[in-house]
Amino acid sequence: MTETDASLYRGEVGPLPRGKYVATLMIKAGDSEKVLEQREFAAAGSIPADSAELRIKPANLDLLRRLSTATHGAFEAPAAMLARHTGQTVSVRQSADPWLIPLVIALFLGEVFVRRRYLGD
């Protein structure tokens, strides 16, 4: 909480799920706690990121069906159909970033070892 004026405080919380909550202002001194004020408040919850787009115009289901047919896909296909084995090779790309720093450290230590062991001080 932040004091904005004499006897006036302001508190902020992150986004809360939809529901009713109770905010409690209390003083803590040592092992004792004293409740000064309690207030109920309601949170509307967060809205989905695409809600404005969906409010403007609903999805064009006919267009989606035609696109899935044209690409030999399926509209609302069952999970068994999506997960079946087709025999095609699957390529997966993975970033090398997590390995770069450990690799540099290992190469540096290897260089130090070779210089001290074989090339002298």
Side-chain angles (χ1 to χ4, degrees):
M1 297 195 60
T2 307
E3 185 175 5
T4 57
D5 198 8
S7 300
L8 186 62
Y9 293 87
R10 179 185 178 108
E12 295 181 15
V13 296
L16 297 170
R18 182 179 179 92
K20 291 184 179 180
Y21 297 91
V22 176
T24 304
L25 179 63
M26 58 181 18
I27 294 177
K28 293 184 178 184
D31 292 340
S32 64
E33 297 177 347
K34 182 180 177 186
V35 175
L36 298 178
E37 185 81 30
Q38 281 190 329
R39 294 263 171 100
E40 275 195 15
F41 68 96
S46 60
I47 58 172
D50 61 349
S51 64
E53 181 180 342
L54 293 176
R55 220 179 9 250
I56 294 171
K57 190 173 185 179
N60 186 342
L61 297 180
D62 183 50
L63 174 63
L64 291 174
R65 282 189 185 94
R66 284 187 289 148
L67 285 172
S68 67
T69 303
T71 59
H72 304 290
F75 185 72
E76 293 183 0
M81 183 179 171
L82 294 174
R84 73 173 190 258
H85 181 65
T86 61
Q88 295 178 343
T89 303
V90 177
S91 299
V92 178
R93 301 193 187 279
Q94 187 174 4
S95 175
D97 290 346
W99 294 100
L100 290 179
I101 291 179
L103 179 65
V104 169
I105 292 171
L107 290 173
F108 176 73
L109 292 175
E111 180 193 10
V112 169
F113 174 75
V114 168
R115 284 180 185 260
R116 289 193 178 182
R117 174 86 173 168
Y118 297 109
L119 302 176
D121 289 331

